[in-house]
Every structure is written in C-alpha cells, then in structure tokens.
Amino acid sequence: MTTHAAPDADVIVVGAGPGGSAAAHHLAARGLDVLLLEKTRFPREKVCGDGLTPRAVAQLLKMGVDTSESAGWIRNRGLRVVADDIAIELDWPALQDFPDYGLTRTRYDFDQLLADRAVDAGAKLLTGVKVTAPLFDLAGRVRGVSAVRDGGEPAEFRAPLVIAADGVSGRLALSLGLKRNERRPMGVAVRQYYKSAAKHDDEYLESWLSLRTAAEPDVLQPGYGWIFGLGDGRVNAGLGVLNSSDGYGRTDYRALLRDWLANTPAEWGLADEANADGPVRGAALPMGFNRTPHYSRGLMLVGDSGGMVNPFNGEGIAYAIEAGEVAAEVAAAAMRAPSVPRREALLRAYADRMDDLWGSYYRMGGIFVHLIGRPAVMKLCTEHGLKRPALMRVVLKLLANLTDRPGRDAADRIVNGMRFVTPTLGRRL
C-alpha cells in the first residue's frame, strides 16, 4: 500500500510496553510530535519475572519515576544464588552509573506507569488500537501503519518514522523481511504468583541454578528458576529454559514449575497449590539481538522485537528502556537533518549504536548460553563457583551487566576486558 497523506505525527511508536513508552517519553521530551499505539487497555497482565536490576532502575530514574516504597515499589539489596545446599548472597555493587538497589513491581500497573510518563512528556497515547501492518511509500519505505480499533474499525496512521516496540512476535519487522536468527539464543519462561508470608518481603532476588523435583531428586532438570518477593504477601515464582538445553521445546514447563516448587520448603507455601494466585503464564525470551538490523527503511526496532533480552540473565526491561532512549536520541537528530539522505544516514546509525552498546556483550552471552546448556558444565559451575565469593562478585557484574567504565576495581576491569576481546571470538563462533 502506498500513502501520500499528511502525517499524523513525527514518529509513531507501536507498543506501550517499557521500550515503547520509554521511546515515546524521550522523543516527546525532545519536542517531537509522538503517537504511541497500544493494542490493549491499561491496566493489563504481562508475563514477566517482575524483578528489576539496578540497570533498569537507572533508566526509571532518568524518566523521573518515583521509585520509593511509598510509591508502591519494593527494593532489594541484591541476588541470592541457590544451587542445591549451597546459597550465596551478593549485594548489588556500588557504582557511579547505577544505584545500589533493585526493585520489584508487577507488570499489571508498571507498563501504565511508564506510558503515563510518556503522556506527561507530551506523547499522545491511543489504547485499544492493534497495528496490523506497515504502510509503504512508492520507494518501499515505511510511512505509517494500518490498524484495527476495538470493535473492528480500520484505521491508518502516518509518520515519517515508525518505532516497532511490538514484542516478540515482531509483526512489523517480519513485514520488512527481518526474520529471527535461529542461531542466536532464545528462551521460554513461565511464572505464577503465590501467597507466601515467608518470602514476600525477601531482601534479595533469588535465583535457582539447580532445579530438582521430588520424583527425580538425582536428576538435574533443564533451566533455572527464580523467586522474587513482591512485598504484598505474594511472590513471583518462575523458571526459564534456554534453546541450548536438550530440554528446550520438549519439556512441559508448567508441570516442571509445579514439580520444582513442590520440592521447596513447606513453610514458604509454594508447594501448596491453594496458595497460587492466578494461573501459570508463559512467554518467549528473544535474546542476544536475534533479529537484526535494528533499522531498515523507516522502521526502528526496540526491545523484544529486536531480540534485546540479556542472554546472561533473561533481563529484558532494562534493555528495552535503554534502547528506547537511544532510538529517541537518534530519531530526534534525524528529524532535524537538512535533507532526506542525511536523515537516512543518521537513522541507519541506530543499528551501529546498538551493536556498539551491547554487541560484544551479547555475543559473549551467546557463548555463555551454549556452555550452560551442557549439564556437566552447569554442574561444574555450581559446585565450584558458588564456593568462591570473590569469583561470584565478578560473575554478578557479568550476568547483570553492571560495571563502571573505566573500571574502578579488578572486577570491572575483568568484565570490561572480556567484553573488549569478545567481538572477534563471537564472529568466529
């Protein structure tokens, strides 16, 4: 379809999740006319671990979000890593660029909170609008989107630039032939809420590296688990399985979640299905830039649509919000360009910016995912690594991507050094 009508905005952002709302917020704050389209209505349920690392918190603070407990946030001190009878508590590092605390909050109102920040900055939000396809000009460049409103009414919206923050399905990206790279990491996660007086106010996010069930206590099950306290009498308990695991695609993830939790201490309340608060829900985790390029013919990819989930820890929110800020910075500069060729050159630089930001780190994450998919490697790491606190502090900085640059301590220098040498190794693999 071609279009020559006047634009409805400078930029259309599709999807009011964390990445889309962040992009809309930063664009509007830079003075652009922004239209933010969301297929659902708020508040809404979303599948997520509901845990935020200091990297995500830093982005919320940039957007002016009040992260105090009085505003409904629950702070955590760090990460507790559990493997069978070994557990180690690792506080978030004290860094110049990131706060020393994480947060938990359910996605039920989290996304609306960020969308409201975008509206406060000047973006126009339309909910109940499902985008179905891009609109193209005669040159094959994206010039807007077609959509369907609640009730089935068709609609079209036009802008010289579209940001796709439409999630793992990547509907808009696929319309341009941008397919998922099957060689890059992919995960599946399931989660369920449980009432738990013993765990709901835990000061640490809890990550389980050894999943075992009562039926097969000697068998290491595929994947990793988490238990994140929400501070309201509930926890978010879930597990993820990576595509490097033999169990990927062949495991009943919901049954595995129930069987694993049935093997947890009775006083936690997670073994009793009577304490479940809602159904088990699942979602895919597109990792390691598994869809590129992140800009093509008037379309920028942000968040899950561009496979921006961290392969090391499954974190997606921080990277979606950061990408939204970078996309806004690039788009704002492009919209001020004196000519169309110059504007296109600036927009194409977005893909390079993203690769410079996380490319080597994600390539390193791909190697990591490949290694931990082998049970023998995972067993070796958990049996020996968890007994060395100094090593685990380095691992925490690596997994959560939390370092100062230039590094202030040995751990920073180690992790940053690994990032520096990885690009060549990653391309060879």
Side-chain angles (χ1 to χ4, degrees):
M1 179 180 292
T2 61
T3 178
H4 304 281
D8 298 290
D10 295 322
V11 182
I12 292 172
V13 180
V14 179
S21 290
H25 166 83
H26 289 292
L27 284 164
R30 286 170 167 79
L32 274 71
D33 186 5
V34 185
L35 180 59
L36 178 59
L37 304 178
E38 168 56 40
K39 65 182 178 181
T40 63
R41 295 188 183 275
F42 296 116
R44 65 177 185 185
E45 189 77 48
K46 289 281 285 191
V47 179
C48 185
D50 297 333
L52 303 175
T53 68
R55 193 173 193 97
V57 178
Q59 290 299 313
L60 298 182
L61 296 176
K62 280 188 179 182
M63 293 177 66
V65 175
D66 179 2
T67 62
S68 66
E69 292 189 15
S70 61
W73 300 90
I74 304 302
R75 295 194 178 191
N76 55 74
R77 294 177 52 184
L79 181 69
R80 180 185 301 113
V81 183
V82 181
D84 294 326
D85 58 347
I86 304 174
I88 183 171
E89 293 178 348
L90 302 165
D91 287 354
W92 298 121
L95 300 170
Q96 293 178 339
D97 295 332
F98 304 102
D100 62 354
Y101 64 92
L103 296 168
T104 57
R105 190 183 188 115
T106 71
R107 292 289 294 276
Y108 185 71
D109 65 350
F110 175 80
D111 287 14
Q112 182 174 8
L113 188 152
L114 295 192
D116 288 345
R117 294 301 302 158
V119 172
D120 291 343
K124 181 180 180 181
L125 170 66
L126 296 181
T127 60
V129 177
K130 181 179 180 180
V131 171
T132 56
L135 300 174
F136 296 97
D137 63 15
L138 292 174
R141 188 180 187 280
V142 176
R143 299 293 290 183
V145 296
S146 59
V148 178
R149 299 179 188 270
D150 279 357
E153 178 189 357
E156 292 184 351
F157 304 94
R158 295 170 178 82
L161 178 65
V162 174
I163 294 179
D166 52 348
V168 64
S169 65
R171 183 189 297 270
L172 291 175
L174 288 172
S175 297
L176 271 67
L178 304 179
K179 299 180 181 180
R180 184 168 65 87
N181 185 341
E182 301 291 340
R183 298 179 60 188
R184 300 287 173 86
M186 188 76 178
V188 173
V190 295
R191 67 99 172 105
Q192 189 167 25
Y193 295 122
Y194 281 86
K195 299 172 185 176
S196 175
K199 297 288 285 183
H200 82 101
D201 57 354
D202 197 337
E203 289 187 306
Y204 289 87
L205 300 178
E206 192 162 279
S207 177
W208 286 56
L209 302 185
S210 298
L211 300 184
R212 300 187 187 275
T213 65
E216 297 179 297
D218 297 328
V219 177
L220 187 63
Q221 301 295 328
Y224 58 93
W226 69 78
I227 302 171
F228 297 164
L230 300 175
D232 60 359
R234 300 179 301 161
V235 299
N236 180 317
L239 62 85
V241 179
L242 301 170
N243 62 353
S244 60
S245 168
D246 290 338
Y248 183 81
R250 300 189 295 108
T251 300
D252 184 338
Y253 306 114
R254 287 167 171 79
L256 177 57
L257 176 64
R258 289 193 297 269
D259 292 344
W260 163 54
L261 293 177
N263 205 33
T264 57
E267 60 269 23
W268 292 2
L270 308 183
D272 187 351
E273 282 300 303
N275 291 324
D277 184 25
V280 179
R281 298 183 184 274
L285 301 175
M287 299 176 168
F289 289 161
N290 69 358
R291 183 180 282 117
T292 56
H294 290 127
Y295 172 76
S296 178
R297 292 185 287 152
L299 184 74
M300 304 175 85
L301 307 184
V302 164
D304 285 1
S305 68
M308 295 183 181
V309 175
N310 183 347
F312 284 103
N313 64 0
E315 181 181 18
I317 291 177
Y319 299 91
I321 299 177
E322 282 190 49
E325 182 185 15
V326 175
E329 181 183 334
V330 171
M335 292 299 107
R336 295 192 298 266
S339 66
V340 172
R342 179 57 180 160
R343 182 178 67 186
E344 278 299 300
L346 290 171
L347 290 172
R348 285 196 300 271
Y350 172 65
D352 294 332
R353 285 282 301 275
M354 297 311 300
D355 191 62
D356 289 343
L357 192 60
W358 303 320
S360 62
Y361 179 73
Y362 279 2
R363 283 189 284 269
M364 186 163 51
I367 299 170
F368 171 80
V369 167
H370 177 72
L371 291 174
I372 67 169
R374 303 174 183 178
V377 174
M378 176 63 86
K379 186 173 185 292
L380 181 66
C381 292
T382 56
E383 286 185 352
H384 298 281
L386 292 185
K387 298 176 182 178
R388 294 169 171 79
L391 173 62
M392 290 305 299
R393 283 191 286 272
V394 176
V395 170
L396 176 67
K397 287 194 169 190
L398 174 64
L399 298 186
N401 198 12
L402 293 172
T403 61
D404 278 329
R405 295 191 189 182
R408 292 193 302 166
D409 60 21
D412 285 353
R413 290 191 290 273
I414 291 171
V415 175
N416 292 338
M418 293 171 65
R419 184 199 300 264
F420 179 77
V421 302
T422 297
T424 300
L425 295 175
R427 283 191 286 270
R428 287 177 180 171
L429 293 176

